[in-house]
Amino acid sequence: MQTFFRYNWTVREQWYQWCEDVMYDELIRERTGGVGSILQTLFHIIDVEWSWIRILQGKPDFQEDFENYKTLDKLIELDLKFRPEVEEFVEAWNESMEKRPCYDPQPDGNVAIDAWGEVMRHVIAHQIHHMGQLSVWAREVGKKPISANVIGKGLIKLETKVEDNG
Amino acid sequence: MQTFFRYNWTVREQWYQWCEDVMYDELIRERTGGVGSILQTLFHIIDVEWSWIRILQGKPDFQEDFENYKTLDKLIELDLKFRPEVEEFVEAWNESMEKRPCYDPQPDGNVAIDAWGEVMRHVIAHQIHHMGQLSVWAREVGKKPISANVIGKGLIKLETKVEDNG
């Protein structure tokens, strides 16, 4: 689980850097699919990640309003504010938490019950999914998207096997 | 690991169903970003998943040519052909395999070394990323995309706690 979160944070920071070379109009332009613009997608990723981690902890969630975070700097600031709490929760994650129930009230009044392991994977997949959308929009802007590769990022240290040729 | 693969297979089958209601011209239309068309994306996902699982097993990989799989039926057939081998490998996956080295020859003559755990997550993220692209193209077609939600699919059985009120 930790590996995937580290992957997501690495790629997210690469997208922040990517945004630095793109005109603000392009970052904020309304696009087809997803939640709309490039910046709003990044905002949505940050917000959803934090919100779920709050819900799992039984802490009050609050809905941030994108209107207050419409620049790259403000988004990064928000991410930095939320990250320590998310990181602490992710680092403490272990197998025994996989099947715990998470109660998620629905707009229709019902309460969905998700396993914590489902929620954590939902958060992971949520970012990757939305960054797939960013990769299409990046080509619309005429700029190469950030690679979605998990390999090549040194996320897992290899086994160092001591050869015994004696 | 198994949970994410089951998620991917479920969502992939939902996309196959989604395609059934879409004109062939739209499925094959060249689009901005990714590997091109909707069908070619599905082909790419099937191919890449199988290829990596073959590489991890030290078995010869072969490059399928999309030209021979340009219909939904042929894609599904290919997926059905590859799936049992992938499934067997995924089901047998365990923690002890995480840090094994995977040697991946590069076009430039170098050999990259990835941990097996990185490769498996790469395969998982690869599909989710490309399906994020499909979700944008779906809106271009004017059709609601398949949900990327991990929650709500019953992927993990909840703990059933026996309450002792005695």
Side-chain angles (χ1 to χ4, degrees):
Chain A
M1 208 68 93
Q2 286 87 357
T3 307
F4 257 132
F5 274 91
R6 280 205 308 277
Y7 161 77
N8 269 3
W9 296 328
T10 302
V11 173
R12 198 185 304 167
E13 272 143 36
Q14 290 174 341
W15 273 106
Y16 292 152
Q17 281 176 15
W18 183 96
C19 287
E20 280 174 12
D21 301 325
V22 175
M23 300 260 294
Y24 182 70
D25 281 1
E26 292 288 0
L27 295 180
I28 216 78
R29 187 188 302 279
E30 198 66 24
R31 296 177 191 277
T32 302
V35 295
S37 69
I38 294 173
L39 284 192
Q40 187 146 10
T41 301
L42 292 170
F43 172 78
H44 178 61
I45 288 167
I46 297 165
D47 184 21
V48 164
E49 179 180 272
W50 188 75
S51 295
W52 275 112
I53 298 298
R54 296 284 291 182
I55 291 169
L56 289 186
Q57 296 177 101
K59 292 182 182 170
D61 169 26
F62 76 97
Q63 297 293 325
E64 295 284 345
D65 187 349
F66 178 56
E67 284 306 310
N68 303 323
Y69 298 92
K70 286 180 98 163
T71 67
L72 183 61
D73 284 351
K74 283 190 178 163
L75 278 185
I76 294 174
E77 206 181 300
L78 184 70
D79 199 357
L80 280 172
K81 189 177 126 196
F82 287 168
R83 187 76 60 86
E85 189 176 337
V86 178
E87 234 175 78
E88 196 186 341
F89 188 84
V90 168
E91 288 308 321
W93 179 265
N94 65 66
E95 196 83 14
S96 76
M97 299 150 94
E98 283 280 357
K99 297 181 178 184
R100 288 190 194 162
C102 169
Y103 300 93
D104 181 25
Q106 302 294 299
D108 63 6
N110 288 324
V111 177
I113 310 178
D114 312 303
W116 283 29
E118 289 173 316
V119 171
M120 292 293 272
R121 286 174 186 81
H122 180 74
V123 171
I124 291 164
H126 182 263
Q127 165 165 335
I128 303 171
H129 173 76
H130 281 292
M131 283 184 173
Q133 298 173 334
L134 289 189
S135 77
V136 169
W137 297 342
R139 293 294 182 187
E140 289 174 2
V141 174
K143 199 166 143 66
K144 198 182 163 200
I146 295 301
S147 164
N149 282 355
V150 177
I151 50 173
K153 290 187 166 58
L155 292 167
I156 298 181
K157 264 196 165 176
L158 284 161
E159 229 157 42
T160 46
K161 203 171 172 181
V162 179
E163 300 274 349
D164 181 2
N165 301 316
Chain B
M1 208 67 92
Q2 286 87 357
T3 307
F4 257 132
F5 273 90
R6 279 203 308 275
Y7 161 77
N8 268 2
W9 296 328
T10 303
V11 174
R12 199 186 303 169
E13 272 143 35
Q14 290 174 341
W15 273 106
Y16 292 152
Q17 280 175 16
W18 183 96
C19 287
E20 279 174 13
D21 300 324
V22 176
M23 299 261 293
Y24 183 69
D25 281 2
E26 291 289 359
L27 296 179
I28 215 76
R29 188 189 301 276
E30 196 67 24
R31 297 179 191 276
T32 302
V35 296
S37 70
I38 294 173
L39 284 193
Q40 186 146 12
T41 301
L42 292 170
F43 171 78
H44 179 61
I45 288 167
I46 298 165
D47 185 21
V48 164
E49 179 180 272
W50 188 75
S51 295
W52 275 111
I53 299 297
R54 295 285 291 182
I55 291 169
L56 290 185
Q57 296 176 101
K59 291 181 183 171
D61 169 26
F62 78 97
Q63 295 295 325
E64 294 283 344
D65 187 349
F66 177 57
E67 284 306 310
N68 304 322
Y69 298 92
K70 287 180 98 163
T71 68
L72 183 62
D73 285 351
K74 283 189 179 165
L75 278 184
I76 294 174
E77 205 180 302
L78 184 70
D79 200 357
L80 281 172
K81 191 179 125 193
F82 288 167
R83 187 74 61 85
E85 190 176 335
V86 177
E87 235 175 78
E88 195 184 342
F89 188 84
V90 169
E91 287 309 321
W93 179 264
N94 65 68
E95 196 83 13
S96 76
M97 296 152 95
E98 283 279 358
K99 296 182 178 185
R100 287 189 195 164
C102 168
Y103 300 93
D104 181 25
Q106 301 295 298
D108 63 6
N110 288 324
V111 176
I113 309 178
D114 312 304
W116 283 30
E118 289 172 316
V119 171
M120 292 293 271
R121 286 173 186 82
H122 181 73
V123 171
I124 291 164
H126 182 262
Q127 164 164 336
I128 303 170
H129 172 77
H130 281 292
M131 283 181 172
Q133 299 173 334
L134 289 188
S135 77
V136 169
W137 298 342
R139 293 294 180 188
E140 289 175 2
V141 174
K143 198 167 144 66
K144 198 181 164 203
I146 296 301
S147 163
N149 282 356
V150 176
I151 50 174
K153 290 187 166 58
L155 292 167
I156 297 180
K157 266 198 165 172
L158 284 161
E159 230 158 41
T160 47
K161 205 172 172 181
V162 180
E163 300 274 349
D164 181 5
N165 300 316

